[in-house]
Amino acid sequence: ASCHGPQGKGDGQQIMQDGLGFPLKPRDLTAGIFKGASSSEELYYRITAGLPGSPMPSYQAALSEEQIWDLIHYVQTLPKQGAEERARLHRHTIIAHKVENISNLEPSSDGWSKMEPVFVSLTPLWWRDDRIEGVEVRAAHDGNQIAIQLSWADPKMDASVVTHQSFSDGAAIQISGEKDPPFFGMGGSSSSVAIWNWKAAWQEDLKRQADIETQYPNTAIDFYESQRTYQYGSQFETSESKTSFHDPLFLTAWGAGNPIADPDRKSAAEEARAKGFGTLTTMSPMLEAVDANGVWQDGKWQVVFVRKLVPSEKERIQLKPGGTVNVAFAIWDGGEGDRNGQKMVSIWNELVLEE
């Protein structure tokens, strides 16, 4: 109780270190996630032997055998019903149902409610108790395009990346056409993966491109030397200046052709590929690239990805009715500072396209 708290919520002693001196917190046992499992045998090992390298000591000399078993049985009552099962990463089969037309499948349209969702558990790459537990997945295709809907709980919408301390909510779908897929964390050197990526901030930029002037409209400056639209000697209002008014030569990422820095983005999504950590490469935006649209309402995101099954570019992954590919999912919670590799991920699942 001194560590895990009287109710096992992990709210006891908070200032702890592991054997290497890194800070850590006691586990919230009510979340249903254990260092091993909640079986009697696994709990007996940890209570009697402790966890070497952690502050968890052995209680074999402190408790009688009967007290140890009482403690085991008590700990097994702590997880909320279904919490442990939801936290485990299982491989699921997701059916992309054949429909007449997917153009009417907007994020919150009634058409999705007729499909049974598949709940896919997620885990943070850097552990934290306050996390998004999983994502509900639905899919459909009309023989020409595929649509995949992702739904997850998020109490706050985060859709800005203008300031250094702000991060965007986001979602991604990773696809491998290999029968034996590579590592689910961005693929491997011998096998690439396709990644469809959406950010709430990109979607907001389609409505009104946000920049420093948007965040700080009262900033005072005479004028920007790089702004192509400025007429010397005329009145200048900082709040009316936009990134797209400037010469790309002075905004190096945009000037170098980085699609993420393009202020005239046409979609809230991008298609990329990777062959392991540090190899993510955004593919050139094309008319046939993936598109996505998200709706946040009542503490829940609903995002729909849409792309042609068979794009003309051979380097893009090809899908076909009756075929099967491996899919994995990632979710970013901007309010928790998620960005880049700090995210929630799933393992590989199976996506089957109905004929």
Side-chain angles (χ1 to χ4, degrees):
S2 63
C3 295
H4 295 281
Q7 308 301 323
K9 295 182 179 294
D11 53 358
Q13 176 66 34
Q14 297 296 296
I15 303 176
M16 292 182 166
Q17 292 182 341
D18 64 13
L20 297 175
F22 292 105
L24 53 77
K25 292 184 177 182
R27 182 59 54 89
D28 178 359
L29 302 177
T30 66
I33 301 175
F34 297 85
K35 293 286 188 180
S38 64
S39 67
S40 298
E41 182 180 26
E42 292 288 340
L43 292 176
Y44 184 86
Y45 288 153
R46 282 148 184 78
I47 292 173
T48 58
L51 283 171
S54 83
M56 175 73 180
S58 166
Y59 285 89
Q60 189 168 23
L63 301 175
S64 68
E65 195 73 5
E66 182 179 3
Q67 288 174 322
I68 289 175
W69 283 107
D70 286 343
L71 183 56
I72 289 171
H73 296 149
Y74 175 67
V75 168
Q76 289 172 331
T77 70
L78 294 175
K80 302 171 185 176
Q81 186 174 7
E84 190 171 4
E85 182 61 27
R86 287 170 66 87
R88 289 177 177 169
L89 303 184
H90 296 286
R91 180 175 171 86
H92 299 277
T93 297
I94 301 161
I95 305 297
H97 300 281
K98 180 69 179 295
V99 298
E100 289 188 6
N101 192 341
I102 66 167
S103 62
N104 61 347
L105 290 178
E106 292 298 317
S108 55
S109 66
D110 292 337
W112 291 114
S113 62
K114 300 175 183 177
M115 305 177 196
E116 189 68 24
V118 176
F119 181 83
V120 177
S121 297
L122 303 173
T123 185
L125 287 181
W126 280 267
W127 182 258
R128 65 176 189 259
D129 290 331
D130 185 12
R131 72 193 195 285
I132 295 171
E133 292 185 346
V135 59
E136 290 184 343
V137 185
R138 297 176 175 91
H141 78 91
D142 59 10
N144 180 45
Q145 291 182 303
I146 187 170
I148 301 177
Q149 185 207 51
L150 305 183
S151 303
W152 70 94
D154 188 342
K156 178 176 174 289
M157 181 178 73
D158 299 285
S160 173
V161 292
V162 174
T163 63
H164 290 289
Q165 68 270 22
S166 60
F167 303 97
S168 175
D169 294 334
I173 301 173
Q174 182 176 239
I175 304 176
S176 170
E178 302 288 338
K179 185 176 180 180
D180 183 15
F183 177 50
F184 65 86
M186 309 293 283
S189 58
S190 61
S191 182
S192 65
V193 294
I195 297 174
W196 301 350
N197 193 16
W198 167 90
K199 290 186 185 297
W202 292 347
Q203 185 167 307
E204 288 299 305
D205 279 348
L206 296 180
K207 304 173 188 176
R208 180 171 181 259
Q209 207 265 330
D211 50 27
I212 293 297
E213 289 79 14
T214 309
Q215 185 71 27
Y216 305 108
N218 297 321
T219 300
I221 189 170
D222 292 334
F223 63 89
Y224 290 114
E225 183 71 27
S226 61
Q227 185 159 321
R228 296 171 294 182
T229 58
Y230 176 68
Q231 299 294 324
Y232 290 98
S234 63
Q235 183 178 352
F236 180 79
E237 292 292 339
T238 306
S239 60
E240 297 176 3
S241 178
K242 302 297 179 188
T243 300
S244 57
F245 296 166
H246 292 255
D247 187 335
L249 181 65
F250 293 87
L251 301 173
T252 52
W254 178 24
N258 186 334
I260 294 179
D262 188 350
D264 300 316
R265 146 182 312 275
K266 301 297 188 295
S267 172
E270 67 170 9
E271 185 167 350
R273 57 187 171 189
K275 299 185 73 173
F277 292 130
T279 66
L280 182 70
T281 304
T282 299
M283 303 181 75
S284 299
M286 299 281 188
L287 292 176
E288 297 176 328
V290 65
D291 197 7
N293 184 31
V295 172
W296 183 89
Q297 186 175 12
D298 299 328
K300 184 177 183 179
W301 272 113
Q302 293 175 301
V303 178
V304 173
F305 292 81
V306 178
R307 203 205 69 166
K308 279 192 173 183
L309 294 178
V310 184
S312 58
E313 298 86 1
K314 293 183 179 180
E315 65 269 24
R316 298 184 190 271
I317 192 164
Q318 312 285 303
L319 305 172
K320 61 181 180 180
T324 300
V325 293
N326 294 284
V327 292
F329 307 97
I331 299 294
W332 287 262
D333 183 353
E336 292 294 326
D338 288 348
R339 71 276 193 189
N340 303 326
Q342 184 173 324
K343 57 188 175 182
M344 272 67 63
V345 298
S346 79
I347 59 174
W348 286 115
N349 297 268
E350 183 181 55
L351 176 66
V352 179
L353 281 71
E354 279 187 345
E355 291 193 80

